[in-house]
Amino acid sequence: MMAPKVVQKPSGSVANPPVIQLESITKDYELGEIRIRVLHGINCTIHRGEFVAIMGPSGSGKSTLMNIIGCLDVPTSGSYKLDGRRVDNLSDRELSRVRNQKIGFVFQAMNLLPQLTAIRNVELPLIYRGMPRGERQERAIKALQSVGLEHRLYHRPSEISGGEAQRVAIARSLVNDPDIILADEPTGNLDSKTAVEIMSLLKKIYESGRTILVVTHDRSIAEWTHRILQIRDGQIEQEEIL
């Protein structure tokens, strides 16, 4: 398999250690007697403290790749090391523990529970960890303050704007203090002005020292990052350093 084309603009070298290492990753799905290969031998390294976009059209395999990186799914074959540890062969329980400790998720649909207030939505990952209520509330308030929503602590998703709801989702992704944030089409349901506000917030979070991966089909969103991995037909066909 040919290596992806690299389009490089002036940039310093990446000195930080790798946090995500994918080697020859494939992913198959079975539909009855038919086996469909979605990912075809993905090789990729993300270094700690990078801001990277995975960009491609619908059906390119980018969301499947993100699910594997986020330990929401496992590859059919290949090796995946997260922070130096192989995770492609872990049990569901072990994968759940890894997700909770190391990764924060931001989704296009936001996945907020409509009956819960902002603070309660942000507390959810801490409830799964068994954290005492007082500590949960303190951390949730700090997370909401960090995204500028200290005035929306007790509002439900239906009582705030789409941009504010996405900020709640980002606060929830931060509350466990993860090293990595995975954002899957985080601006897909937002107008252009609000999309800029959300990407500005993600950039600020990146500048605080976290590794961020953004999945998008939108070039203008991808250009907020420092490196773009172009995926098509289940293969990374080009890498662009911005």
Side-chain angles (χ1 to χ4, degrees), residues 2 4-5 10 50 73 77 94 99 109 116 136 144 149 163 177 207 210 215 223 228 232:
M2 293 180 63
K5 179 182 178 183
E50 278 200 279
D73 201 353
S77 65
E94 289 171 322
R99 286 196 303 270
L116 298 184
R136 287 199 318 260
L144 285 162
L149 287 182
D177 195 25
E207 289 170 347
R210 288 183 172 85
V215 165
E223 287 182 347
I228 300 174
R232 184 178 297 274

PDB file of all heavy atoms in Angstrom, residues 2 4-5 10 50 73 77 94 99 109 116 136 144 149 163 177 207 210 215 223 228 232:
ATOM      1  N   MET A   2       0.550   2.205  -0.833  1.00  0.00           N
ATOM      2  CA  MET A   2       1.340   3.426  -0.922  1.00  0.00           C
ATOM      3  C   MET A   2       1.122   4.286   0.318  1.00  0.00           C
ATOM      4  O   MET A   2       0.045   4.339   0.884  1.00  0.00           O
ATOM      5  CB  MET A   2       0.962   4.213  -2.177  1.00  0.00           C
ATOM      6  CG  MET A   2       1.334   3.537  -3.483  1.00  0.00           C
ATOM      7  SD  MET A   2       0.852   4.545  -4.896  1.00  0.00           S
ATOM      8  CE  MET A   2       1.866   6.009  -4.631  1.00  0.00           C
ATOM      9  N   PRO A   4       0.523   7.734   2.381  1.00  0.00           N
ATOM     10  CA  PRO A   4      -0.260   8.907   2.016  1.00  0.00           C
ATOM     11  C   PRO A   4       0.626  10.059   1.569  1.00  0.00           C
ATOM     12  O   PRO A   4       1.742  10.231   2.060  1.00  0.00           O
ATOM     13  CB  PRO A   4      -0.998   9.260   3.321  1.00  0.00           C
ATOM     14  CG  PRO A   4      -0.200   8.632   4.401  1.00  0.00           C
ATOM     15  CD  PRO A   4       0.388   7.396   3.798  1.00  0.00           C
ATOM     16  N   LYS A   5       0.141  10.813   0.608  1.00  0.00           N
ATOM     17  CA  LYS A   5       0.852  11.998   0.145  1.00  0.00           C
ATOM     18  C   LYS A   5       0.896  13.032   1.259  1.00  0.00           C
ATOM     19  O   LYS A   5      -0.091  13.260   1.956  1.00  0.00           O
ATOM     20  CB  LYS A   5       0.132  12.576  -1.076  1.00  0.00           C
ATOM     21  CG  LYS A   5       0.773  13.827  -1.644  1.00  0.00           C
ATOM     22  CD  LYS A   5      -0.045  14.344  -2.812  1.00  0.00           C
ATOM     23  CE  LYS A   5       0.548  15.644  -3.370  1.00  0.00           C
ATOM     24  NZ  LYS A   5      -0.283  16.189  -4.457  1.00  0.00           N
ATOM     25  N   PRO A  10       5.579  25.291   6.145  1.00  0.00           N
ATOM     26  CA  PRO A  10       6.592  25.440   7.186  1.00  0.00           C
ATOM     27  C   PRO A  10       6.022  25.160   8.570  1.00  0.00           C
ATOM     28  O   PRO A  10       4.996  25.689   8.953  1.00  0.00           O
ATOM     29  CB  PRO A  10       7.019  26.908   7.039  1.00  0.00           C
ATOM     30  CG  PRO A  10       6.747  27.232   5.616  1.00  0.00           C
ATOM     31  CD  PRO A  10       5.526  26.453   5.243  1.00  0.00           C
ATOM     32  N   GLU A  50      -1.042  17.477  20.161  1.00  0.00           N
ATOM     33  CA  GLU A  50      -1.378  17.865  18.785  1.00  0.00           C
ATOM     34  C   GLU A  50      -2.848  18.254  18.661  1.00  0.00           C
ATOM     35  O   GLU A  50      -3.699  17.808  19.445  1.00  0.00           O
ATOM     36  CB  GLU A  50      -1.082  16.722  17.815  1.00  0.00           C
ATOM     37  CG  GLU A  50       0.357  16.619  17.373  1.00  0.00           C
ATOM     38  CD  GLU A  50       0.497  15.814  16.089  1.00  0.00           C
ATOM     39  OE1 GLU A  50       0.487  14.566  16.154  1.00  0.00           O
ATOM     40  OE2 GLU A  50       0.610  16.448  15.017  1.00  0.00           O
ATOM     41  N   ASP A  73     -15.088   1.054  19.679  1.00  0.00           N
ATOM     42  CA  ASP A  73     -15.128  -0.110  18.808  1.00  0.00           C
ATOM     43  C   ASP A  73     -13.709  -0.676  18.739  1.00  0.00           C
ATOM     44  O   ASP A  73     -12.743  -0.012  19.142  1.00  0.00           O
ATOM     45  CB  ASP A  73     -15.631   0.277  17.417  1.00  0.00           C
ATOM     46  CG  ASP A  73     -16.186  -0.902  16.632  1.00  0.00           C
ATOM     47  OD1 ASP A  73     -16.064  -2.060  17.118  1.00  0.00           O
ATOM     48  OD2 ASP A  73     -16.728  -0.683  15.536  1.00  0.00           O
ATOM     49  N   SER A  77      -8.375  -6.142  12.558  1.00  0.00           N
ATOM     50  CA  SER A  77      -6.972  -6.537  12.651  1.00  0.00           C
ATOM     51  C   SER A  77      -6.116  -5.290  12.790  1.00  0.00           C
ATOM     52  O   SER A  77      -6.579  -4.171  12.556  1.00  0.00           O
ATOM     53  CB  SER A  77      -6.546  -7.347  11.421  1.00  0.00           C
ATOM     54  OG  SER A  77      -6.590  -6.548  10.249  1.00  0.00           O
ATOM     55  N   GLU A  94     -12.586  -3.326  30.243  1.00  0.00           N
ATOM     56  CA  GLU A  94     -11.302  -2.617  30.250  1.00  0.00           C
ATOM     57  C   GLU A  94     -11.336  -1.414  29.314  1.00  0.00           C
ATOM     58  O   GLU A  94     -10.799  -0.347  29.640  1.00  0.00           O
ATOM     59  CB  GLU A  94     -10.186  -3.576  29.840  1.00  0.00           C
ATOM     60  CG  GLU A  94      -9.862  -4.630  30.885  1.00  0.00           C
ATOM     61  CD  GLU A  94      -8.919  -5.703  30.371  1.00  0.00           C
ATOM     62  OE1 GLU A  94      -9.044  -6.103  29.190  1.00  0.00           O
ATOM     63  OE2 GLU A  94      -8.056  -6.141  31.144  1.00  0.00           O
ATOM     64  N   ARG A  99     -11.650   4.524  28.359  1.00  0.00           N
ATOM     65  CA  ARG A  99     -12.417   5.685  27.872  1.00  0.00           C
ATOM     66  C   ARG A  99     -12.661   6.685  28.988  1.00  0.00           C
ATOM     67  O   ARG A  99     -12.492   7.897  28.815  1.00  0.00           O
ATOM     68  CB  ARG A  99     -13.765   5.228  27.297  1.00  0.00           C
ATOM     69  CG  ARG A  99     -13.700   4.546  25.965  1.00  0.00           C
ATOM     70  CD  ARG A  99     -15.074   4.487  25.323  1.00  0.00           C
ATOM     71  NE  ARG A  99     -16.067   3.811  26.153  1.00  0.00           N
ATOM     72  CZ  ARG A  99     -16.325   2.511  26.127  1.00  0.00           C
ATOM     73  NH1 ARG A  99     -15.629   1.729  25.324  1.00  0.00           N
ATOM     74  NH2 ARG A  99     -17.257   2.001  26.896  1.00  0.00           N
ATOM     75  N   ALA A 109     -24.428  15.376  17.797  1.00  0.00           N
ATOM     76  CA  ALA A 109     -25.767  15.357  18.393  1.00  0.00           C
ATOM     77  C   ALA A 109     -25.761  15.781  19.859  1.00  0.00           C
ATOM     78  O   ALA A 109     -26.819  15.883  20.472  1.00  0.00           O
ATOM     79  CB  ALA A 109     -26.366  13.959  18.267  1.00  0.00           C
ATOM     80  N   LEU A 116     -32.246  16.530  32.348  1.00  0.00           N
ATOM     81  CA  LEU A 116     -31.247  16.927  33.336  1.00  0.00           C
ATOM     82  C   LEU A 116     -30.754  18.350  33.085  1.00  0.00           C
ATOM     83  O   LEU A 116     -30.664  18.796  31.940  1.00  0.00           O
ATOM     84  CB  LEU A 116     -30.053  15.973  33.314  1.00  0.00           C
ATOM     85  CG  LEU A 116     -30.308  14.507  33.664  1.00  0.00           C
ATOM     86  CD1 LEU A 116     -29.001  13.732  33.679  1.00  0.00           C
ATOM     87  CD2 LEU A 116     -31.034  14.375  35.001  1.00  0.00           C
ATOM     88  N   ARG A 136     -18.313  15.741  42.823  1.00  0.00           N
ATOM     89  CA  ARG A 136     -18.868  15.787  41.460  1.00  0.00           C
ATOM     90  C   ARG A 136     -19.353  17.185  41.120  1.00  0.00           C
ATOM     91  O   ARG A 136     -19.056  17.734  40.067  1.00  0.00           O
ATOM     92  CB  ARG A 136     -20.057  14.824  41.324  1.00  0.00           C
ATOM     93  CG  ARG A 136     -19.737  13.367  41.292  1.00  0.00           C
ATOM     94  CD  ARG A 136     -20.884  12.575  40.701  1.00  0.00           C
ATOM     95  NE  ARG A 136     -22.211  12.951  41.103  1.00  0.00           N
ATOM     96  CZ  ARG A 136     -22.933  12.328  42.030  1.00  0.00           C
ATOM     97  NH1 ARG A 136     -22.427  11.300  42.701  1.00  0.00           N
ATOM     98  NH2 ARG A 136     -24.170  12.717  42.305  1.00  0.00           N
ATOM     99  N   LEU A 144     -18.014  23.816  33.732  1.00  0.00           N
ATOM    100  CA  LEU A 144     -18.946  24.736  33.076  1.00  0.00           C
ATOM    101  C   LEU A 144     -18.408  26.164  33.103  1.00  0.00           C
ATOM    102  O   LEU A 144     -18.593  26.918  32.147  1.00  0.00           O
ATOM    103  CB  LEU A 144     -20.325  24.644  33.738  1.00  0.00           C
ATOM    104  CG  LEU A 144     -21.110  23.384  33.379  1.00  0.00           C
ATOM    105  CD1 LEU A 144     -22.235  23.136  34.375  1.00  0.00           C
ATOM    106  CD2 LEU A 144     -21.674  23.495  31.960  1.00  0.00           C
ATOM    107  N   LEU A 149     -20.111  29.040  31.011  1.00  0.00           N
ATOM    108  CA  LEU A 149     -21.533  28.765  31.267  1.00  0.00           C
ATOM    109  C   LEU A 149     -21.868  28.725  32.756  1.00  0.00           C
ATOM    110  O   LEU A 149     -22.789  28.014  33.165  1.00  0.00           O
ATOM    111  CB  LEU A 149     -21.934  27.432  30.616  1.00  0.00           C
ATOM    112  CG  LEU A 149     -22.055  27.425  29.099  1.00  0.00           C
ATOM    113  CD1 LEU A 149     -22.506  26.054  28.622  1.00  0.00           C
ATOM    114  CD2 LEU A 149     -23.028  28.478  28.604  1.00  0.00           C
ATOM    115  N   GLY A 163     -25.512  26.452  20.578  1.00  0.00           N
ATOM    116  CA  GLY A 163     -24.111  26.670  20.902  1.00  0.00           C
ATOM    117  C   GLY A 163     -23.828  26.443  22.374  1.00  0.00           C
ATOM    118  O   GLY A 163     -22.793  25.868  22.743  1.00  0.00           O
ATOM    119  N   ASP A 177     -10.973  15.385  33.324  1.00  0.00           N
ATOM    120  CA  ASP A 177      -9.607  15.842  33.067  1.00  0.00           C
ATOM    121  C   ASP A 177      -8.846  14.875  32.156  1.00  0.00           C
ATOM    122  O   ASP A 177      -7.740  14.426  32.484  1.00  0.00           O
ATOM    123  CB  ASP A 177      -8.848  16.022  34.387  1.00  0.00           C
ATOM    124  CG  ASP A 177      -7.569  16.840  34.203  1.00  0.00           C
ATOM    125  OD1 ASP A 177      -7.510  17.628  33.239  1.00  0.00           O
ATOM    126  OD2 ASP A 177      -6.644  16.680  35.003  1.00  0.00           O
ATOM    127  N   GLU A 207      -4.691  24.573  23.598  1.00  0.00           N
ATOM    128  CA  GLU A 207      -3.572  25.391  24.074  1.00  0.00           C
ATOM    129  C   GLU A 207      -3.303  25.180  25.565  1.00  0.00           C
ATOM    130  O   GLU A 207      -2.225  25.510  26.059  1.00  0.00           O
ATOM    131  CB  GLU A 207      -3.849  26.864  23.772  1.00  0.00           C
ATOM    132  CG  GLU A 207      -3.755  27.183  22.276  1.00  0.00           C
ATOM    133  CD  GLU A 207      -4.246  28.575  21.925  1.00  0.00           C
ATOM    134  OE1 GLU A 207      -4.897  29.214  22.801  1.00  0.00           O
ATOM    135  OE2 GLU A 207      -3.998  29.022  20.796  1.00  0.00           O
ATOM    136  N   ARG A 210      -3.971  19.800  26.011  1.00  0.00           N
ATOM    137  CA  ARG A 210      -4.610  18.546  25.644  1.00  0.00           C
ATOM    138  C   ARG A 210      -4.405  18.212  24.162  1.00  0.00           C
ATOM    139  O   ARG A 210      -4.158  19.092  23.341  1.00  0.00           O
ATOM    140  CB  ARG A 210      -6.105  18.594  25.940  1.00  0.00           C
ATOM    141  CG  ARG A 210      -6.417  18.534  27.437  1.00  0.00           C
ATOM    142  CD  ARG A 210      -7.905  18.500  27.699  1.00  0.00           C
ATOM    143  NE  ARG A 210      -8.190  18.261  29.101  1.00  0.00           N
ATOM    144  CZ  ARG A 210      -8.231  19.192  30.026  1.00  0.00           C
ATOM    145  NH1 ARG A 210      -8.003  20.447  29.705  1.00  0.00           N
ATOM    146  NH2 ARG A 210      -8.491  18.893  31.281  1.00  0.00           N
ATOM    147  N   VAL A 215     -13.123  15.224  13.888  1.00  0.00           N
ATOM    148  CA  VAL A 215     -13.595  14.582  12.669  1.00  0.00           C
ATOM    149  C   VAL A 215     -14.552  15.540  11.978  1.00  0.00           C
ATOM    150  O   VAL A 215     -15.481  16.072  12.600  1.00  0.00           O
ATOM    151  CB  VAL A 215     -14.321  13.253  12.988  1.00  0.00           C
ATOM    152  CG1 VAL A 215     -15.129  12.787  11.785  1.00  0.00           C
ATOM    153  CG2 VAL A 215     -13.320  12.189  13.367  1.00  0.00           C
ATOM    154  N   GLU A 223      -9.269  23.439   9.070  1.00  0.00           N
ATOM    155  CA  GLU A 223      -8.167  24.400   9.044  1.00  0.00           C
ATOM    156  C   GLU A 223      -7.927  25.092  10.382  1.00  0.00           C
ATOM    157  O   GLU A 223      -6.955  25.832  10.528  1.00  0.00           O
ATOM    158  CB  GLU A 223      -8.410  25.428   7.936  1.00  0.00           C
ATOM    159  CG  GLU A 223      -8.180  24.843   6.545  1.00  0.00           C
ATOM    160  CD  GLU A 223      -8.376  25.850   5.430  1.00  0.00           C
ATOM    161  OE1 GLU A 223      -8.926  26.946   5.697  1.00  0.00           O
ATOM    162  OE2 GLU A 223      -7.983  25.540   4.291  1.00  0.00           O
ATOM    163  N   ILE A 228      -3.964  17.907   9.033  1.00  0.00           N
ATOM    164  CA  ILE A 228      -5.169  17.310   8.470  1.00  0.00           C
ATOM    165  C   ILE A 228      -4.822  15.961   7.858  1.00  0.00           C
ATOM    166  O   ILE A 228      -3.923  15.856   7.027  1.00  0.00           O
ATOM    167  CB  ILE A 228      -5.806  18.211   7.386  1.00  0.00           C
ATOM    168  CG1 ILE A 228      -6.182  19.574   7.969  1.00  0.00           C
ATOM    169  CG2 ILE A 228      -7.034  17.536   6.780  1.00  0.00           C
ATOM    170  CD1 ILE A 228      -6.682  20.567   6.922  1.00  0.00           C
ATOM    171  N   ARG A 232     -10.186   8.664   2.590  1.00  0.00           N
ATOM    172  CA  ARG A 232     -11.123   8.352   1.511  1.00  0.00           C
ATOM    173  C   ARG A 232     -11.107   6.845   1.282  1.00  0.00           C
ATOM    174  O   ARG A 232     -10.048   6.230   1.239  1.00  0.00           O
ATOM    175  CB  ARG A 232     -10.742   9.090   0.223  1.00  0.00           C
ATOM    176  CG  ARG A 232     -11.722   8.900  -0.925  1.00  0.00           C
ATOM    177  CD  ARG A 232     -11.299   9.688  -2.150  1.00  0.00           C
ATOM    178  NE  ARG A 232     -11.303  11.127  -1.885  1.00  0.00           N
ATOM    179  CZ  ARG A 232     -12.383  11.891  -2.014  1.00  0.00           C
ATOM    180  NH1 ARG A 232     -13.537  11.359  -2.395  1.00  0.00           N
ATOM    181  NH2 ARG A 232     -12.313  13.181  -1.767  1.00  0.00           N
TER     182      ARG A 232
END
